[in-house]
Amino acid sequence: MQERSGEEDVTLLGYCMGGVLSTLYAALHPDGPVKNLALFTTPVDFSRMKLFHAWSDRRYFDVDRLIDTVGNVPPEMLFASFDMLRPAGRSAGVVQLWDNMANDEFVKSYRMFDRWGAEMLPLAGEYFRQTVKDLMWDNKLFRGELVLGGRKVLLKNIRVPVLHALAQHDHIVPYEAGQPLIAGIGSADKEEVVLKGGHVSLAAGANAVRRLWPKLDDWLGVRST
């Protein structure tokens, strides 16, 4: 982005696990080039992601065997795991679609939203293995014990302005999983905001243009010039 734009300062935005990666980067590069860090539904205490934590229990989930067998994690497996968080969710959505079949705008919105949610790519195997072991099993980011490239990742090293938006009805990243992030960051200028919506609708739902994106616009408006 620096090369393409010709600008030195960068505003980094991360959503969900993208937020985790953005947080790791900002913590490992406290001297720049990140000027502002905006995060959406970003977990930091992985012990609070109850169902995922239970499903990946090291006593029953052999992540090494999985990755050594399949290489990259198939998108079908990822898709199924998110569906299992709310087993009746997809069926309820189809019923709602049938009830609104004569509403062209609803059908268009449903198809776009469904396609967006279903377009998953395989997940890099070693990334998945390390995520399960270091984050889900040992909760190293939250404990301040995560080491990447020989360097410890400490949230307190992040000193740039940070905004963290959480969803009030998030069934994927519960509030308790994301709440410790702002407290652990070393920035003086940091803000947590909890908005109505779920994990997906927060950023991509019909009300996102009235809630999340105006908030981000206002926040960046006085920090990114």
Side-chain angles (χ1 to χ4, degrees), residues 18-193:
V20 175
L21 296 177
S22 300
T23 299
L24 300 182
Y25 181 86
L28 290 173
H29 300 84
D31 297 324
V34 175
K35 180 181 180 181
N36 303 294
L37 181 63
L39 306 168
F40 304 159
T41 65
T42 297
V44 65
D45 185 354
F46 283 78
S47 70
R48 297 303 188 97
M49 298 184 64
K50 296 300 185 181
L51 283 178
F52 280 130
H53 195 261
W55 292 337
S56 62
D57 191 312
R58 71 180 76 207
R59 294 172 297 174
Y60 314 112
F61 182 53
D62 191 343
V63 66
D64 289 321
R65 183 179 180 186
L66 171 67
I67 301 305
D68 292 343
T69 301
V70 302
N72 292 336
V73 181
E76 294 82 7
M77 174 185 163
L78 300 170
F79 193 74
S81 67
F82 284 108
D83 262 4
M84 286 193 297
L85 290 173
R86 284 185 174 173
R90 186 159 297 277
S91 298
V94 172
V95 170
Q96 191 176 21
L97 174 63
W98 277 106
D99 287 343
N100 292 273
M101 192 61 73
N103 185 334
D104 290 343
E105 283 301 313
F106 182 92
V107 173
K108 179 183 177 181
S109 176
Y110 178 92
R111 292 184 65 187
M112 292 173 65
F113 203 73
D114 185 64
R115 180 178 178 181
W116 180 81
E119 284 187 331
M120 288 191 179
L121 296 172
L123 202 59
E126 292 307 321
Y127 164 75
F128 185 81
R129 191 199 310 261
Q130 188 172 9
T131 296
V132 169
K133 290 185 175 183
D134 286 353
L135 301 184
M136 199 64 72
W137 286 359
D138 296 332
N139 212 9
K140 288 184 177 181
L141 177 60
F142 178 69
R143 297 176 184 274
E145 300 171 355
L146 181 63
V147 176
L148 295 175
R151 299 160 62 194
K152 185 171 286 189
V153 179
L154 298 175
L155 295 178
K156 66 180 182 181
N157 288 341
I158 300 176
R159 296 186 292 271
V160 298
V162 178
L163 172 69
H164 188 198
L166 293 158
Q168 187 175 3
H169 305 292
D170 197 329
H171 70 293
I172 296 176
V173 180
Y175 175 76
E176 294 77 13
Q179 183 271 334
L181 180 58
I182 287 295
I185 284 175
S187 309
D189 181 359
K190 55 185 179 179
E191 179 182 357
E192 174 189 282
V193 58

